[in-house]
Amino acid sequence: GVTVASLSLPAVGAVRGATPPAVTRFIAEYIKGGRGRGARRVFFASILIAATISISIAAFLSVPSVSNSISFPFSSQPVVFAAIDTVILAIAKVGAFSMIGAGSATRAGIVVAVGALVRYSAASLLLVLGWGPSGVFIGFSAGDLVLAVSSIFLALRWIPSSGEQRVDGRAVTAYMISVLASSLIGYGVSQTDRLLAFLQRGFSDLALYNAASVGAAVAAFAPAAVTNVL
């Protein structure tokens, strides 16, 4: 399931990586400068950007011919559910990072932890019940929906509705574009090996490679930690 998501959703993930840092920076900056309504405008604009772009890409990935080509020879349903989950998570991330920008980092951490608990508990339960990879992404969607609804509700409570509403659209846009470019480069560096493995060896061998690469990455943390300590 994770293998399907990592291959099929790069652009959605990049959008998710671009908007949260922007809302954290500019909401905090605008609230501090007495521009509460401007902070709200940044918040709603970020939600709209994340939703519009991620929904468009997810809709494209959900087209039968596209999802079938990604998942072949397996069912395309996990790709569709992964696309839906990533849209929800993209919006949820904006809400959580907006809470941080509004000065509620501790509460944001609690909300994220609760969402993660629901996310993995629901995914594990559906997997045990025999729903397979589709059940994993349905469970992920349930937890991410909890995070999205709660973080957006709380962010709106803590972002002031008073003050100046002026927004420096050029600065916000430039910052988002730079972070988006960085996210795309990061994805290319971290996922190119998986894409090549998929194209050369097929989906089954890619699943094995994905598991092995994760294990190797975890093992690499030990010498890095020792080096940092020394």
Side-chain angles (χ1 to χ4, degrees):
V2 175
T3 301
V4 173
S6 65
L7 278 178
S8 61
L9 304 171
V12 179
V15 171
R16 188 177 68 196
T19 48
V23 293
T24 301
R25 173 185 170 180
F26 288 100
I27 285 178
E29 179 181 314
Y30 286 4
I31 290 176
K32 185 177 180 180
R35 289 190 277 173
R37 287 190 293 172
R40 281 183 169 252
R41 288 183 63 187
V42 171
F43 172 75
F44 286 120
S46 298
I47 290 285
L48 181 62
I49 291 170
T52 300
I53 298 178
S54 59
I55 288 173
S56 299
I57 298 172
F60 170 74
L61 293 171
S62 299
V63 173
S65 59
V66 177
S67 58
N68 287 333
S69 65
I70 292 173
S71 61
F72 181 82
F74 302 100
S75 170
S76 62
Q77 275 192 335
V79 176
V80 176
F81 286 124
I84 294 171
D85 171 55
T86 308
V87 173
I88 298 172
L89 184 57
I91 297 172
K93 289 287 187 180
V94 174
F97 278 81
S98 296
M99 290 176 64
I100 297 173
S104 301
T106 300
R107 294 184 179 90
I110 294 173
V111 170
V112 170
V114 171
L117 178 62
V118 175
R119 189 178 205 258
Y120 293 108
S121 297
S124 300
L125 177 61
L126 292 175
L127 186 62
V128 170
L129 292 176
W131 286 56
S134 294
V136 171
F137 287 114
I138 292 173
F140 283 1
S141 298
D144 295 337
L145 184 60
V146 170
L147 174 60
V149 172
S150 57
S151 63
I152 290 174
F153 172 76
L154 293 173
L156 286 174
R157 284 188 60 186
W158 291 316
I159 299 175
S161 57
S162 59
E164 198 176 339
Q165 67 174 356
R166 181 174 56 86
V167 172
D168 188 349
R170 183 173 299 178
V172 174
T173 302
Y175 184 79
M176 283 188 175
I177 291 175
S178 64
V179 177
L180 175 60
S182 175
S183 298
L184 289 172
I185 293 171
Y187 179 85
V189 171
S190 63
Q191 301 295 330
T192 299
D193 57 337
R194 290 176 172 82
L195 180 60
L196 292 174
F198 171 69
L199 294 175
Q200 296 180 8
R201 305 295 300 178
F203 194 83
S204 298
D205 287 343
L206 172 61
L208 296 175
Y209 175 80
N210 193 54
S213 62
V214 171
V218 172
F221 290 151
V226 172
T227 301
N228 290 335
V229 171
L230 295 177

